[in-house]
Amino acid sequence: EQVYFVPPANILEWWTETGQPLPPPDYDTISRPEVLKAVQILQPADFAYVGGTVDIRGSIDDPNIDYYQLAYGQDVNPREWLGIGGQQTDYSPGTSLGTWDTTGLNGVYTLRFTVVFTDGSIDIDTKLVTLDNTPPSLNLLTGDGTSTIRYPAQTVISLVADAADNLTIDRVEFYQNGDLLGIDREWPYGFELDISSVGTEVFSAVVFDQVGNNAQSDLVVDIVRSG
């Protein structure tokens, strides 16, 4: 904060010519610190990837509320707003404001938190989120595409996970007979396992996107003794 002297009109020209300070003519409506906002959405965060049932958390830094309303709309500037629950008159800090069932929704959406106070004033906060309710796809293969490994001519099984998602893959987990072998977070997704004996092994891979949507693929490999 800074205090400015506003000169009367009859000396304004002299004031300007002599380089005396004047208050700024514009208002900053964008960079208001979040800590000063009376109404805030705290969860989900701006630009978060979410899906399924979303727990919405927020804060109201003014006890004189009449009611609040949650709503959402598609895209950055929604043409239509759909309510999440009805108007709520009870607010308790630290508790959920409401839950948002996003089943079947995908893409960029705007979440809106509107609070009406007892004096008739309104405060609004919005958050942009990306909804992802589409599970990834997955196909687990060996490196050469065969399900028969000949030991000891071959001493390593190369597992390859052919994974794809509509947005972003977070990780692929590899399992042998239900036991976790390892996790790969970078494409191409794979895991190499040393062979020490013959037999039938069941391998699985599970792919997760950033929201937690997942898919699984299984592969049965016969390890036989060569020659």
Side-chain angles (χ1 to χ4, degrees):
E1 292 184 359
Q2 184 170 340
V3 178
Y4 291 90
F5 174 74
V6 180
N10 60 335
I11 67 166
L12 180 57
E13 183 177 354
W14 170 85
W15 189 272
T16 304
E17 290 177 350
T18 56
Q20 302 301 318
L22 287 171
D26 300 320
Y27 291 93
D28 182 0
T29 59
I30 298 177
S31 60
R32 183 184 184 192
E34 289 292 316
V35 295
L36 300 180
K37 297 184 66 173
V39 171
Q40 295 185 66
I41 297 174
L42 303 176
Q43 177 185 310
D46 225 358
F47 309 113
Y49 284 78
V50 295
T53 301
V54 180
D55 180 28
I56 303 171
R57 304 269 171 161
S59 65
I60 305 174
D61 190 20
D62 189 328
N64 301 309
I65 71 167
D66 187 8
Y67 67 88
Y68 70 83
Q69 173 73 64
L70 296 170
Y72 70 93
Q74 190 173 13
D75 219 332
V76 178
N77 297 302
R79 296 183 177 181
E80 179 185 12
W81 292 98
L82 300 174
I84 303 173
Q87 296 179 355
Q88 305 295 318
T89 57
D90 295 328
Y91 165 73
S92 298
T95 62
S96 176
L97 297 175
T99 55
W100 179 16
D101 183 3
T102 70
T103 302
L105 302 179
N106 289 282
V108 175
Y109 280 76
T110 301
L111 177 62
R112 185 176 71 180
F113 179 29
T114 303
V115 179
V116 178
F117 297 95
T118 54
D119 63 359
S121 62
I122 299 175
D123 204 345
I124 298 174
D125 191 28
T126 60
K127 288 288 188 290
L128 283 177
V129 296
T130 298
L131 298 184
D132 183 6
N133 288 293
T134 302
S137 62
L138 179 65
N139 189 22
L140 180 61
L141 306 165
T142 59
D144 58 6
T146 182
S147 59
T148 300
I149 303 297
R150 301 188 179 281
Y151 173 81
Q154 295 172 273
T155 58
V156 174
I157 296 178
S158 296
L159 299 175
V160 177
D162 182 12
D165 187 63
N166 61 319
L167 292 174
T168 305
I169 291 175
D170 178 67
R171 68 189 186 278
V172 177
E173 299 177 354
F174 293 89
Y175 295 85
Q176 179 185 16
N177 302 321
D179 296 326
L180 179 65
L181 292 173
I183 300 173
D184 196 349
R185 297 182 182 274
E186 296 183 359
W187 184 90
Y189 304 100
F191 188 87
E192 291 192 344
L193 177 69
D194 292 333
I195 301 172
S196 59
S197 62
V198 298
T200 299
E201 302 291 340
V202 178
F203 296 99
S204 301
V206 184
V207 58
F208 295 85
D209 63 18
Q210 287 196 17
V211 175
N213 300 311
N214 61 83
Q216 179 173 325
S217 179
D218 300 324
L219 175 65
V220 178
V221 176
D222 292 319
I223 305 173
V224 299
R225 189 169 297 279
S226 61

